[in-house]
Amino acid sequence: MFASALLRSSQPRLIVRAGRASAGTKFALRGYATFPGGKPNQARMGQGGGTTAKNDSSEKSFFSWLNNINPFALVGAATILISGYTLIIKPYFEWRTDLKKRADDRVKEEESGKVGYSDEEIAQFPFDTKNVVFVLGGPGSGKGTNSAKLVEDFGFVHLSAGDLLRAEQQREVSQYGELIGHYIREGLIVPHEITIGLLRNAMMDHPASNRFLIDGFPRNLVQAKAFEDTVCKAKKVLYFECPEATMLERLLDRGKTSGRTDDNIGSIKKRFRTYINDSKPVIDEYAKEGKVMTVSCEASVEDVYKHTHDQIEALLRTLKKQAAEEKQSAKEKQSAKEQQSAKEQQAAKEDSDKK
């Protein structure tokens, strides 16, 4: 009995030490291997509660178990882990970081109360020295096309009220985006506070320029008065006169490729009504002041632009002449002021000498 117990208690140690000796020994080792955790596989030996292996036996059994692992399986597992990190985990954390940054930027912008320039910067900007020409006409009359050519020939800065509003609508943190989208779809006039603010900021983005074409604005008399009260007065109005049938044909053709939400028959008809009811009175009002330059759009594209070019060229000559006259007048006033100051100083000196 003593010999039998001794043999039974030494079996794990003997099998581990001979683990590499033979196939039979390896089979025995697998039947009585000690896995991580320190307990032998007693079920496979038919034992219900044999003696626990010692620490050194557990350590050697772990290495034997490790030797039985397929190295290709290890490489595959490592590849899966690395791929998972590269394709899933890393992009997720990058996305979260970017999302937080955008949210923080949105909060900062909303907390600032407005986007653009400070009240002090606006007050100091020399709007009264700028030559502004309003470009008006019905939808599809050619305002944008001819304005682009005038930019090339005369160095104007072209500001499209519609383009500025659409850009603001698409801006991610805009507080007016949804409101602007509604007005555009319905063919209505966006509140003038929004439009004028965008135009003013766009002018301030070009401090070195003195020539501005403002296309598609003002849309009504309220906008016209508000702009001239808060920004500057327009020098002239360039009006493209075009039949409604021609404009409708142009807009429907443009809608095939423009991607604009208002280039559809429903929005176009609403825009025509708005133009007739609100925008046409603006042209009539400026015509009373002698500020309207009318260009008929019934001629060829080349003739329309030639007429436009000639009118703008004549305007710029007039403005240049007026600027020279104003400069000369200011110079004469300054000279007269200096002479008057010199006379007063001379008189004061004479009075002092008499005393």
Side-chain angles (χ1 to χ4, degrees), residues 170-226:
Q170 297 299 322
R171 197 167 61 87
E172 185 177 350
V173 295
S174 173
Q175 58 182 319
Y176 304 118
E178 189 173 340
L179 177 68
I180 292 171
H182 168 74
Y183 276 89
I184 290 177
R185 284 191 301 272
E186 296 301 318
L188 301 174
I189 297 175
V190 176
H192 69 270
E193 295 88 352
I194 299 175
T195 311
I196 291 175
L198 295 173
L199 289 169
R200 180 196 61 217
N201 290 348
M203 289 180 67
M204 294 180 69
D205 289 340
H206 300 85
S209 179
N210 291 322
R211 298 176 179 178
F212 293 89
L213 293 172
I214 298 184
D215 162 13
F217 180 92
R219 297 280 300 277
N220 58 29
L221 290 171
V222 174
Q223 286 188 345
K225 186 177 186 306

Side-chain angles (χ1 to χ4, degrees), residues 36-151:
K39 292 185 178 182
N41 188 353
Q42 296 173 346
R44 299 178 75 173
M45 295 299 295
Q47 298 179 13
T51 306
T52 303
K54 295 183 179 180
N55 291 339
D56 58 340
S57 177
S58 299
E59 182 179 350
K60 292 179 181 180
S61 297
F62 168 76
F63 286 111
S64 298
W65 169 79
L66 189 63
N67 287 336
N68 288 329
I69 295 178
N70 192 324
F72 294 103
L74 286 175
V75 173
T79 303
I80 291 172
L81 290 174
I82 294 172
S83 299
Y85 173 79
T86 304
L87 299 177
I88 300 174
I89 300 175
K90 183 179 179 182
Y92 171 78
F93 283 106
E94 289 176 347
W95 172 75
R96 290 288 300 176
T97 302
D98 180 66
L99 193 66
K100 184 178 184 304
K101 181 179 182 300
R102 288 160 60 186
D104 292 341
D105 292 342
R106 187 182 300 113
V107 169
K108 289 179 182 178
E109 195 161 2
E110 290 175 351
E111 288 177 350
S112 68
K114 62 183 177 181
V115 177
Y117 297 92
S118 67
D119 293 337
E120 183 179 357
E121 289 172 322
I122 294 171
Q124 292 177 352
F125 192 81
F127 289 107
D128 56 342
T129 66
K130 308 302 180 182
N131 296 319
V132 171
V133 176
F134 291 148
V135 183
L136 298 177
S141 60
K143 301 184 297 294
T145 301
N146 288 283
S147 294
K149 295 178 180 179
L150 293 174
V151 169

Side-chain angles (χ1 to χ4, degrees), residues 46 66 261 283:
L66 189 63
T261 58
I283 298 166

Side-chain angles (χ1 to χ4, degrees), residues 319-336:
L319 293 175
K320 185 177 180 180
K321 183 179 179 181
Q322 289 177 353
E325 291 173 351
E326 290 174 359
K327 185 176 181 180
Q328 182 62 30
S329 176
K331 185 177 180 180
E332 291 175 356
K333 287 180 180 179
Q334 181 64 26
S335 178

